[in-house]
Amino acid sequence: MKKQQQYRNWLCAALLVSLPFTGYAAEYQLDDIVVTGVRVHEAPITENNEVPGGQVARTADYGVLGNRDTMTTPFNATTFTDKAITDVQASNITDVIAMDASTNNQTLSGASQAWAIRGFRAQQQDVSFNGLHGIAPRFYTGVEGIDRVEVLKGASALLYGMSPNGSVGGNINYVPKRAKQGENQNSVKLTYGDGKQFGQQLDYGVRTNDNKWGIHFTGYHTNGSTSYKDVAVKTNSAFLGVDRQGSHSRFYFDAGYVYNNIENPQYRVQFSGITNTKIQKNYIGQHGMLSADHNAKYGLADTYRHVTEKFGVARYEYDFSKHLTGFAALGMRETKMDYAYNEFRLSVDGVGQVRFRNNNHINKAISAEAGLKGQFQTGSVKHELTGVATRLAWKRYMTNNAESTIKNNKEVAIWHDTTEANVVGQFNTYKNQFGWGAELNDSNLLTGFALTDVMSTKDDKWTFVLGGRYQHIKQNLNKTGKTYKEHAFSPAFAVVHKLNDRTSVYANYMQGLTAGDIVDSNYANDGEVLAPYKTKQFEVGAKFNTGKYLTTVSAFQMEQAGTLVETRNGLDYLTSGGKVRNRGVEVSVAGEPREGTRVMGSLMFLRSKYQKALDSYQGNDVIGTPRWQAVARVEQDIKSVKGLSVSLRANYQGPSYIDQWNTYKVGGRVTWDLGTRYEFKGLGGHPMTLRADVYNVFNKDYWNAMSNNPAIYVGKGRTAVVSLETKF
């Protein structure tokens, strides 16, 4: 079995590195409306700025810098297009970013998703919407209303400001669907799979004859059981996008509504009582790690999560002159959640523990930005100067009830033997005994101002980015009466040099920000307000655009500050002296090396270490961070059957530790996905597309290790999805 696993690992790596590295160059033009940054003229792309093959776009929204082409931008970003999202039949954001090895799925339950970028944990609450934080649905990650998903890898305090929950490894930005000139976006799609989920989706987009006004609508419904045991999901959503393109101004309005109901979701397995001294002598040490079984259930019956999301955002841009543009955006969101769930823990002595909880949550946010972008020249140097002010305010009304006692069971022999598939079936079913109630928990305000200067030489061979962002953080913890009020300045420097028409090299220094802590009574410095934690990033890289594909290679180091307990004169103090260091190398490729063959793949090597931590685990690998990750997808058109394509995707993730002392780890894995797509003319000559995908073809059982605490989450077994889409 070990040899078979090794063969699969080598096959996955070979599939990735064998992606071709030859191509051609030609001329192209960029759409003046889409690209507001520097024009480039070195390789062919479609009018939608897509790399050949259509799965990845050449441009991305870099926050304060605006929409720019990757070859003249000193950052590593991947923009997944609607074609990529649709062709892999992604239903949520984690399905999309799974195509990038720099991300790691950190989902902690069947109702809550998270991920890591460059080894640093992020959350769905930190996704930006058209470059604006705080507006995207907070607890729903479906992508039916999304045209593109932009994944920026690396610290981004200058570009987007501090994210609401302090994610520092990168940023994910949603680009909503809007009507496109000359493209038929009107379709009906029926989907069945991932258990017995039956979904229906309507897309309708239209523009006026003069191309000034456009409107796009997406309606979506799905219902049925999922591939996880006893889990059922029902979703109703609607998304509306309106835009106006004038000669000197542009207006955009996007709004959405989501109702998402999940019954009996799956949950993670948490470990309690693990310490460095006990770990070799406990039940785990004697019996080995818990075996993964995707049929096992760690969620209690009658648990649920009901979520309603409402949001809207308007953006306006006005050209005062050829060289000066003003812009402003205002967005609002309201989220309501009723969440009855359980914690499932296994102690070091092999005792199962369950606690039932109920979270009533209302979250209201208002986000705004306003700024000016001007262009001028000093000698032979061109300048693009941007100043932007941002304000994000949100309030959480929340009551989190918990049972006063933990339900214990005798030893459960499931560490190495999962013959009892429904693990929590050994525990009683709990009914929600708590009434609805959501008191004001905390009020938060993030304000800031960023100033950037993008300088380029007359021949566009050199581009320099110089900037900084001042960020003010205020949190009122209403239930405790404490207030956090601090500020920080984050400078940034970056440079891009075009070696030739096909190659650029770049380097950057960037920072990320996370709010500090208010020290509690467990420490001698009770009440002290710790300054915001900074993450400092150094990155170098190269980008290659051959005309047939786009390749990015980067190396980075990120150091994140955090809490550390220091003992002075026998007393414990909580300080900001902790440090985690992540060093890594990334490679990504996307394109069409020859007509009818499309490839997309990426690889990341990562060393994540506790640099300053407790003596018992300082220098160890950070939990939940595998050293190797890789994904490669090849799609081939079958010439003998017009409209038929087949695809193969390999996904590799290396082993990772579940505890800070690096004693126990989950094993590495390779999973394989197969897909096919058939495009044909249906009744009345309407274009139709039939898609079928099988994920985890070999039904591999595996665990994902969590990066925030000792916990694991069981991966999906073999699943399949089929869909039929009709254009009208």
Side-chain angles (χ1 to χ4, degrees), residues 20 133 171 227 239 383 406 482 493 565 621 646 664 667 682 715 719:
H133 275 310
N171 188 74
S227 57
F239 299 85
H383 296 261
I406 297 176
K482 295 182 178 180
F493 316 92
V565 178
D621 287 356
V646 295
Y664 294 106
T719 59

Side-chain angles (χ1 to χ4, degrees), residues 143-254:
V143 291
E144 59 271 12
I146 305 304
D147 182 62
R148 294 185 177 184
V149 173
E150 299 171 339
V151 182
L152 174 70
K153 288 159 272 190
S156 59
L158 170 70
L159 304 179
Y160 298 97
M162 177 178 154
S163 57
N165 281 20
S167 300
V168 297
N171 188 74
I172 292 178
N173 182 54
Y174 286 157
V175 179
K177 290 180 178 179
R178 293 204 184 93
K180 299 176 182 179
Q181 181 71 15
E183 182 176 333
N184 182 10
Q185 294 178 283
N186 305 331
S187 66
V188 174
K189 183 166 65 174
L190 303 178
T191 304
Y192 183 80
D194 192 14
K196 297 180 180 179
Q197 282 278 301
F198 180 43
Q200 310 91 46
Q201 180 171 328
L202 169 67
D203 279 279
Y204 178 80
V206 63
R207 298 200 71 85
T208 56
N209 292 332
D210 59 5
N211 197 34
K212 286 187 176 181
W213 285 93
I215 183 170
H216 187 279
F217 172 79
T218 298
Y220 177 72
H221 169 77
T222 188
N223 194 18
S225 60
T226 74
S227 57
Y228 281 117
K229 184 179 177 65
D230 299 328
V231 181
V233 176
K234 180 179 180 180
T235 301
N236 296 315
S237 67
F239 299 85
L240 177 68
V242 179
D243 71 284
R244 184 188 186 278
Q245 305 293 330
S247 57
H248 298 286
S249 64
R250 294 156 296 281
F251 172 75
Y252 308 93
F253 174 75
D254 297 280

Side-chain angles (χ1 to χ4, degrees), residues 29-31 34 45-50 148 181-183:
Q29 284 187 326
L30 295 180
D31 189 313
V34 176
I45 56 177
T46 69
E47 64 180 62
N48 292 324
N49 301 316
E50 296 169 357
R148 294 185 177 184
Q181 181 71 15
E183 182 176 333

